[in-house]
Amino acid sequence: MIPAPVTIAIHTFGRNAREDLIADVRAGLTATPKTLPPRWLYDERGSELFEAITQLPEYYLTRTEAEILRRAATEVIAAVAPEALVELGSGSARKTRMLIEAARGGRLGFFVPFDISERTLQQTARSIAADFPGLSVYAMVGDFAEHLDRVPHYGRQLVVFLGSTIGNFDAAERRFFLDHVRALLRPGDAFLLGIDLVKDEAELLAAYDDAEGVTADFNRNLLRVLNRELAADFDPAAFDHVARFDRDRSRIEMYLRSRWRQRVRLPGARLTIEFDPGELLMTEISVKFTRASVEQALGESGLPLTRWYPDAKERFALCLCMPRGGSGSR
Ligand code: AVJ
């Protein structure tokens, strides 16, 4: 069979990632407490380190979600009968292959991976196109906060957002994101969401502070990104990796903690900052859900929880949302 075409669309629309980084750094590193958005963790090395995290014994999320998909993929595909599969934050799309395979022999003609990392996206798009001749791949490099409305509609679509990536959003960002997902759906379309569930604190903490120190390395990589992009002079060894669970907000929080008093120059952002001994810089949040809390969040954006697929130990779950009648907005 002749391979179907691969199109890679770079939807940055003239916006410059560097300018965004500078703005985030100037706002986040002068705030109290200091904070930076997690997206800057995922440069090429950061994406590789995250892939390594997914293989760790402590990081149960990826393999648990894969286990759920192995059981549920056929049923999800049968319920939706998609012509297009849109994957937000696709990364390596390893788990998505299970959905594509389950759709074999059906009407699936398009795969639309959407990711912030161009390199990862290039690899994913090419390898899926090579392995599934007959499937057209339209890959989009973009930012959830800006480019979701550019996602093309190639017929009845299943939009998926796996891996509990939604956990990176605070309540306002999550609402904004889910509202935009809802706007992508037309009558008959569906949304499949992967979420990590609230559980024993020790198990949660181990997943974000592994024995091998891969997560610590992933976290400190943020400082290497700032050194490279902004000619900053962070010493990564001068910061400890810290993971905490905030039960009230139901989220893991990742920080870098300054080991001593220090001054850091970031000429690329025309900024010099000071850290007190023990001062924290928040680098990522990872919200943990219950069935009730996710149903509430989805419902607020007009996404009814139609089917619930947890694993046997209820560590992780997939939520299938099939709005009746669709949005009718387009
Ligand atoms: C990619 C956001 C789903 O929150 O579990 C893993 C990122 N950070 N270990 C997560 C992450 C540290 C991951 N997500």
Side-chain angles (χ1 to χ4, degrees):
M1 208 189 290
I2 299 166
V6 181
T7 307
I8 315 264
I10 316 283
H11 287 262
T12 50
F13 303 101
R15 289 286 308 273
N16 188 335
R18 219 186 121 74
E19 293 304 314
D20 292 348
L21 174 63
I22 291 169
D24 285 351
V25 162
R26 291 184 62 86
L29 295 187
T30 58
T32 315
K34 292 182 172 64
T35 173
L36 281 175
R39 52 179 293 200
W40 304 111
L41 290 162
Y42 297 88
D43 69 335
E44 196 178 325
R45 174 143 185 221
S47 298
E48 279 166 20
L49 285 167
F50 177 67
E51 282 298 313
I53 287 172
T54 66
Q55 317 277 336
L56 292 169
E58 296 95 334
Y59 197 77
Y60 58 86
L61 287 81
T62 311
R63 82 180 65 88
T64 307
E65 186 176 48
E67 174 193 319
I68 299 169
L69 267 175
R70 245 187 309 281
R71 275 188 304 107
T74 309
E75 192 180 305
V76 169
I77 292 296
V80 183
E83 294 161 312
L85 181 62
V86 176
E87 178 163 30
L88 306 176
S90 48
S92 68
R94 224 173 325 115
K95 287 162 288 176
T96 320
R97 287 168 177 270
M98 288 190 243
L99 287 166
I100 298 175
E101 265 152 30
R104 270 211 171 118
R107 299 184 304 158
L108 188 68
F110 294 90
F111 177 52
V112 183
F114 181 114
D115 204 276
I116 193 152
S117 162
E118 181 179 349
R119 225 188 114 89
T120 307
L121 197 65
Q122 295 266 11
Q123 285 167 0
T124 299
R126 284 177 214 293
S127 91
I128 297 265
D131 294 348
F132 299 96
L135 193 66
S136 296
V137 179
Y138 181 92
M140 293 180 68
V141 180
D143 188 321
F144 298 141
E146 274 182 84
H147 305 123
L148 272 188
D149 55 354
R150 317 282 173 136
V151 171
H153 199 275
Y154 290 118
R156 187 201 294 269
Q157 68 188 12
L158 173 60
V159 177
V160 307
F161 192 44
L162 300 178
S164 204
T165 306
I166 195 166
N168 266 179
F169 300 149
D170 67 22
E173 291 165 336
R174 183 169 62 233
R175 177 66 196 265
F176 176 92
F177 174 83
L178 291 175
D179 284 350
H180 280 79
V181 167
R182 181 65 186 84
L184 286 177
L185 304 184
R186 299 188 192 174
D189 291 351
F191 177 50
L192 184 68
L193 175 69
I195 50 154
D196 194 20
L197 298 173
V198 176
K199 61 182 63 61
D200 176 63
E201 182 161 335
E203 201 179 350
L204 280 173
L205 286 174
Y208 293 88
D209 194 6
D210 62 281
E212 254 186 81
V214 181
T215 307
D217 205 19
F218 169 75
N219 197 6
R220 286 196 197 93
N221 182 56
L222 179 65
L223 304 179
R224 291 185 216 110
V225 170
L226 298 179
N227 285 351
R228 184 185 64 233
E229 297 300 324
L230 303 174
D233 61 359
F234 279 101
D235 172 9
F239 291 84
D240 289 321
H241 167 70
V242 176
R244 293 186 177 166
F245 184 57
D246 181 333
R247 199 162 278 281
D248 292 336
R249 298 200 204 188
S250 196
R251 67 190 199 183
I252 288 281
E253 296 172 352
M254 261 180 27
Y255 299 93
L256 290 164
R257 184 174 56 211
S258 178
R259 302 184 67 170
W260 40 72
R261 182 175 309 284
Q262 52 184 316
R263 170 173 298 166
V264 179
R265 286 159 207 84
L266 301 95
R270 300 177 309 283
L271 191 68
T272 299
I273 52 168
E274 317 258 350
F275 285 90
D276 288 333
E279 187 176 347
L280 297 171
L281 160 59
M282 190 196 266
T283 54
E284 189 170 43
I285 61 169
S286 190
V287 177
K288 306 303 163 187
F289 296 88
T290 61
R291 180 176 178 158
S293 70
V294 74
E295 190 159 13
Q296 164 89 22
L298 289 164
E300 284 169 9
S301 294
L303 293 161
L305 179 58
T306 311
R307 292 188 197 184
W308 171 252
Y309 300 100
D311 63 299
K313 293 183 187 156
E314 304 207 9
R315 295 201 281 187
F316 199 96
L318 290 179
C319 307
L320 181 64
C321 304
M322 301 179 70
R324 289 177 177 280
S327 73
S329 64
R330 289 201 278 176

